[in-house]
Amino acid sequence: MTDPRIKRTRLHVLETTRRMLSERNGETITLSSLAKEAEVSRRTLYVHWGTIEQVISEAVSLASGADGFDPEGLSNRERVVHFLTSVRDGIHEPITKVALTSLIHHATQEDKAVASMDDMSDKRLEQLRELVGPLTTEQFAELVGPVYFSELVLHTPASDELIERLADVAVELIGSGDSPSSS
């Protein structure tokens, strides 16, 4: 069981990171600037995260936490629609969008940022697998990629129609959407 003080400190750092992302005016967030703003030591940040990319990645994941969704009795298709809608809504949140674009930029230059993005993608892939069953990384990219493209390249949220079409693709990839999947 984790010490409640550690949980509070981690949450405080992640919330501070999200706030800094929303307030920044083009300046890069570093472990030093985050430590100063959150009033923790750099050592604390290194112990819990190691890199600024990992902090940002976890801060983004904080926004995409459990939403109380109960998939019981829903078809695979309905589960995919819910999942993709939550991805779309999460990406469209300004702080998350800034964090993702920052991570994508860093990933073009640093292996540590690539690892953070991989971790974030792996968590989302696992969430989808829990909803619908086995899914390859390529299938996940085929379903989620257009949602990211719409938001990050076209600068518009994926439409409900796109999400519906992607859910149809998911049914082809993973099987029938008519019967509820067992969790």
Side-chain angles (χ1 to χ4, degrees):
M1 187 158 139
T2 306
D3 183 333
R5 293 172 296 176
I6 293 172
K7 286 182 181 180
R8 281 193 304 273
T9 298
R10 287 181 60 87
L11 184 59
H12 169 70
V13 168
L14 295 174
E15 289 171 347
T16 301
T17 302
R18 291 181 59 76
R19 184 178 48 72
M20 288 176 72
L21 285 166
S22 72
E23 295 172 351
R24 75 181 203 162
N25 296 319
E27 68 268 2
T28 302
I29 297 174
T30 64
L31 286 176
S32 294
S33 65
L34 177 57
K36 182 178 178 182
E37 189 72 23
E39 298 179 339
V40 298
S41 70
R42 282 184 42 187
R43 182 177 185 285
T44 297
L45 300 178
Y46 282 112
V47 167
H48 291 281
W49 290 280
T51 67
I52 192 63
E53 293 82 14
Q54 288 173 330
V55 179
I56 292 171
S57 175
E58 194 169 327
V60 168
S61 297
L62 181 67
S64 61
D67 60 1
F69 174 66
D70 181 8
E72 190 65 34
L74 297 179
S75 68
N76 280 340
R77 187 181 190 290
E78 292 167 322
R79 292 170 184 225
V80 170
V81 167
H82 174 80
F83 177 81
L84 292 175
T85 301
S86 73
V87 168
R88 174 194 62 197
D89 295 347
I91 295 170
H92 192 66
E93 178 190 29
I95 296 169
T96 301
K97 190 173 184 178
V98 168
L100 283 172
T101 55
S102 176
L103 284 173
I104 291 167
H105 170 74
H106 286 294
T108 64
Q109 303 167 7
E110 301 171 20
D111 290 340
K112 290 177 182 178
V114 172
S116 293
M117 290 198 62
D118 287 347
D119 288 344
M120 196 168 49
S121 293
D122 289 346
K123 288 175 186 172
R124 290 301 264 178
L125 173 56
E126 190 53 40
Q127 288 173 340
L128 186 55
R129 284 178 176 158
E130 288 173 8
L131 289 174
V132 300
L135 204 63
T136 67
T137 304
E138 291 78 18
Q139 291 169 327
F140 177 73
E142 189 174 346
L143 296 174
V144 178
V147 177
Y148 278 80
F149 181 84
S150 184
E151 181 67 43
L152 300 175
V153 177
L154 300 177
H155 303 288
T156 183
S159 67
D160 290 339
E161 293 80 16
L162 174 60
I163 288 177
E164 293 291 334
R165 286 194 307 272
L166 292 170
D168 291 338
V169 170
V171 169
E172 291 177 27
L173 293 173
I174 60 179
S176 173
D178 295 332
S179 59
S181 173
S182 57
S183 294

